[in-house]
Amino acid sequence: MALSATLLSSISCNDFLDTNIDPDRADANLLTPNYIFPGAVTGGSVFSATAGSYVQARVLNAFASLQMNSLAGNSYSFGTPFVDDYTPNITSGYNSAIWDAMFRQITNFQTIIDYNDPNGQYKQFKAMSMIMKAYHVQILTDLYGDMPYTEAFKRELNLSPKYDKGEDIYKASIADLESAVQLINSGTGANPGSADVVFGGTMPSWIAFANTIKLRYLIRMSNVTGEMATYRDQKLATLAGATFSASNVTMNPGYSSTSDSKQNPWTNYWVVLSSGARPVSGNQSYTLYTASEHIALALNGNKRYIPTSATTSVEYNDPRDVYQKFNGIKDGRSGRLFTLITPAGRDATEATVEGVRQGATPGQAGAEAGRTGNTVSRFGLGLIVGNNTTITSTAPADIVAAASAKPVVLLSKAETEFLLAEAALRYPAVFGNDKGHFEAGITASYSYLGATGAAAYITSINAVPKLGWTGSNDNKLEAIMTQKWIALTGINPEQSFFDYTRTGYPITPMATIATGTVKPNRLIYPTSEYASNANNVPNMTATDVFTKNQFTPFWAR
């Protein structure tokens, strides 16, 4: 053990991706917390495409982006992609990697929490791990409802853990967050230093992060009643005057373009490989995804250009109510979120985001004839390289180094501000400055993406109910959810999916081939649970996914 500690003390942040030891497979008794933590945050083995953070940046991102109608399949090149997502056809095999990978990831944090530490050397690592455990547990229980918790994350010591109620999991996670803050404030234990690939050992930032995740838990419970509402209000009161994350919370164990396995996992999946080639394998395909028509209209000010010939196009404004609030307001983030396309017969000043209506095939409305797979919008430079505006081309040679080395966003500054805006709107006795936080969320989104014109955009939406800060409280709530949806596109879209499940905002159209009229409230437990934990896993059907019942996450019932 002493030898391990000696070796680890000399490891720098940039070395973490050079190690090929997976906490999921190594003997946990041989690893100290300062070695386990970087691998736990990155999701286990950094060489595994099924590692937790990889799945979050890829599979979970894709699921939520499709459900929230931000992305669509490029039907000009792929016929009718994403049928299961559009229908939606939710089975035990649908996106099951989310559950499997995140359970492994949480287990690594639990290993640090349970580590035998008689001298208290690793107390700060334990605190960080409690915060990260709560961060990931919330995603899982918000996607699946009740799940194994008190008997879970014990590796081979318990392969069939019982299921706990979502309400109890929420309470336990909030207690973990509070205990973590107390541990950090105690000042005991060694500073994590470079082994902390999130904040580099700056412990006050961990406290602010814990408070923000705690607020996320409590805001998610905005609609609960009875005992849980009393509990929520008591815990909200404890956040009065608390510090919250003042900047984007990111994670970077030393990402680079030296190999595919060392790239930012989002970049490697969605945009470009370390060689400069585009990803082309399965769903890991640059050409497979495009902006949806839905988000294109939102960003373009409810404007599209439909080609009438190879050299002409006609302007189109969608008459559906959902788009009327966007009329005439072009979002300055549009060209940083997605690539802009100059319509046939128009000049570059009229370039817009060109999306595909989910479920439409070429020749149908929303996927009009006259376009090709190369004349629809894909992820823009703001998502690819952040606020680095020195890179002006999406050509692989120009973006591979910067995009590969970009940190993963765990929690954006924009989301923090929108959480505080909603908290102040709903609970003005505890929180204040709702309008200020709302506008700060928009500004933070512009800043992260390297977009200009945030102040002008805010001015342009000031008098527009459901888009800007005006009208009734319900109008303002829809505005928060709309702006949060735009801000989290391509970053943490699962949080907008949970908000939609909770509030019904922003209004999100179904795909044209949808067989129902509502989106899923949750996912079905994965095949792995029905195979290995059959005595405990609830027996639910596909119908339960779309019905408000005992299987629905408790905060959405």
Side-chain angles (χ1 to χ4, degrees), residues 55-349:
V55 166
Q56 189 174 354
R58 299 171 173 186
V59 179
L60 180 59
N61 195 312
F63 159 74
S65 296
L66 291 167
Q67 292 303 320
M68 290 308 297
N69 209 327
S70 303
L71 297 184
N74 185 354
S75 58
Y76 292 104
S77 299
F78 291 88
T80 309
F82 304 130
V83 172
D84 283 345
D85 300 277
Y86 290 164
T87 309
N89 180 29
I90 311 297
T91 67
S92 61
Y94 178 77
N95 286 325
S96 58
I98 298 171
W99 173 286
D100 294 338
M102 284 198 172
F103 254 87
R104 289 194 297 269
Q105 189 169 18
I106 295 166
T107 297
N108 289 330
F109 291 120
Q110 190 65 49
T111 298
I112 297 173
I113 295 167
D114 294 339
Y115 186 81
N116 183 23
D117 183 27
N119 297 322
Q121 179 182 357
Y122 297 110
K123 283 188 177 181
Q124 301 302 302
F125 283 94
K126 290 175 180 283
M128 296 188 306
S129 297
M130 292 164 77
I131 295 168
M132 291 305 303
K133 176 186 175 184
Y135 173 90
H136 288 94
V137 162
Q138 185 178 39
I139 293 174
L140 271 182
T141 194
D142 286 351
L143 271 176
Y144 293 95
D146 299 348
M147 65 179 232
Y149 185 83
T150 54
E151 294 183 359
F153 321 123
K154 300 181 185 298
R155 301 183 188 272
E156 69 281 357
L157 297 180
N158 190 346
L159 299 178
S160 55
K162 72 170 185 177
Y163 273 60
D164 294 278
K165 291 186 176 297
E167 297 95 318
D168 295 332
I169 296 170
Y170 257 52
K171 288 181 177 180
S173 294
I174 290 171
D176 272 350
L177 291 167
E178 293 173 340
S179 295
V181 170
Q182 291 174 357
L183 266 180
I184 294 170
N185 280 330
S186 74
T188 56
N191 184 279
S194 64
D196 172 9
V197 295
V198 181
F199 294 116
T202 303
M203 302 314 293
S205 295
W206 278 103
I207 292 175
F209 184 38
N211 290 337
T212 309
I213 298 304
K214 180 178 174 180
L215 181 63
R216 186 196 270 176
Y217 270 93
L218 296 170
I219 292 298
R220 192 80 83 236
M221 291 191 283
S222 62
N223 294 331
V224 300
T225 59
E227 184 271 333
M228 286 303 291
T230 301
Y231 168 82
R232 175 201 63 210
D233 293 346
Q234 290 171 343
K235 291 301 180 181
L236 282 167
T238 68
L239 289 175
T243 59
F244 299 93
S245 294
S247 58
N248 298 307
V249 177
T250 62
M251 174 267 293
N252 194 339
Y255 294 129
S256 73
S257 58
T258 55
S259 69
D260 287 356
S261 63
K262 294 183 181 180
Q263 287 183 282
N264 174 308
W266 186 93
T267 298
N268 176 269
Y269 183 84
W270 297 97
V271 183
V272 67
L273 305 178
S274 61
S275 64
R278 298 295 192 187
V280 293
S281 175
N283 282 357
Q284 186 177 353
S285 173
Y286 175 76
T287 59
L288 176 58
Y289 296 90
T290 179
S292 71
E293 178 197 49
H294 176 56
I295 201 167
L297 290 169
L299 295 172
N300 295 338
N302 192 19
K303 180 186 294 186
R304 283 189 67 199
Y305 292 96
I306 298 176
T308 53
S309 72
T311 58
T312 60
S313 58
V314 61
E315 183 178 324
Y316 167 76
N317 291 275
D318 198 291
R320 287 175 286 182
D321 288 343
V322 63
Y323 299 111
Q324 299 312 298
K325 66 184 179 184
F326 300 107
N327 280 344
I329 302 175
K330 186 169 183 178
D331 196 315
R333 292 166 288 187
S334 58
R336 299 293 294 179
L337 281 165
F338 296 100
T339 55
L340 299 181
I341 306 295
T342 300
R346 308 280 174 160
D347 62 42
T349 63

Side-chain angles (χ1 to χ4, degrees), residues 37-49:
F37 186 79
V41 175
T42 56
S45 172
V46 297
F47 295 91
S48 171

Side-chain angles (χ1 to χ4, degrees), residues 223-523:
N223 294 331
V224 300
T225 59
E227 184 271 333
M228 286 303 291
T230 301
Y231 168 82
R232 175 201 63 210
D233 293 346
Q234 290 171 343
K235 291 301 180 181
L236 282 167
T238 68
L239 289 175
T243 59
F244 299 93
S245 294
S247 58
N248 298 307
V249 177
T250 62
M251 174 267 293
N252 194 339
Y255 294 129
S256 73
S257 58
T258 55
S259 69
D260 287 356
S261 63
K262 294 183 181 180
Q263 287 183 282
N264 174 308
W266 186 93
T267 298
N268 176 269
Y269 183 84
W270 297 97
V271 183
V272 67
L273 305 178
S274 61
S275 64
R278 298 295 192 187
V280 293
S281 175
N283 282 357
Q284 186 177 353
S285 173
Y286 175 76
T287 59
L288 176 58
Y289 296 90
T290 179
S292 71
E293 178 197 49
H294 176 56
I295 201 167
L297 290 169
L299 295 172
N300 295 338
N302 192 19
K303 180 186 294 186
R304 283 189 67 199
Y305 292 96
I306 298 176
T308 53
S309 72
T311 58
T312 60
S313 58
V314 61
E315 183 178 324
Y316 167 76
N317 291 275
D318 198 291
R320 287 175 286 182
D321 288 343
V322 63
Y323 299 111
Q324 299 312 298
K325 66 184 179 184
F326 300 107
N327 280 344
I329 302 175
K330 186 169 183 178
D331 196 315
R333 292 166 288 187
S334 58
R336 299 293 294 179
L337 281 165
F338 296 100
T339 55
L340 299 181
I341 306 295
T342 300
R346 308 280 174 160
D347 62 42
T349 63
E350 296 176 283
T352 57
V353 177
E354 289 295 332
V356 173
R357 188 174 300 180
Q358 288 189 336
T361 55
Q364 297 179 339
E368 290 78 12
R371 295 194 182 95
T372 69
N374 294 322
T375 55
V376 289
S377 296
R378 299 191 175 89
F379 283 132
L381 285 169
L383 287 174
I384 295 171
V385 296
N387 60 10
N388 184 342
T389 55
T390 63
I391 296 175
T392 58
S393 168
T394 58
D398 293 335
I399 64 173
V400 63
S404 298
K406 189 184 73 164
V408 167
V409 177
L410 298 174
L411 174 79
S412 69
K413 168 66 171 171
E415 185 189 348
T416 298
E417 293 293 345
F418 289 128
L419 282 170
L420 288 167
E422 184 178 356
L425 180 69
R426 291 184 182 274
Y427 311 106
V430 182
F431 303 93
N433 195 22
D434 48 10
K435 181 173 185 278
H437 286 301
F438 172 75
E439 294 180 351
I442 296 171
T443 301
S445 173
Y446 267 74
S447 176
Y448 174 80
L449 294 169
T452 58
Y457 174 76
I458 291 170
T459 298
S460 70
I461 65 174
N462 270 342
V464 183
K466 305 178 183 180
L467 185 61
W469 202 257
T470 188
S472 67
N473 280 0
D474 196 57
N475 291 156
K476 293 173 182 175
L477 179 64
E478 182 173 349
I480 292 171
M481 296 304 139
T482 300
Q483 294 296 340
K484 194 173 180 182
W485 165 65
I486 295 170
L488 297 186
T489 292
I491 301 172
N492 299 125
E494 76 281 355
Q495 298 304 318
S496 281
F497 172 72
F498 300 141
D499 284 336
Y500 175 83
T501 304
R502 173 173 61 96
T503 69
Y505 297 131
I507 297 172
T508 306
M510 302 290 291
T512 61
I513 61 172
T515 57
T517 58
V518 296
K519 294 183 180 291
N521 295 311
R522 54 159 299 154
L523 298 185

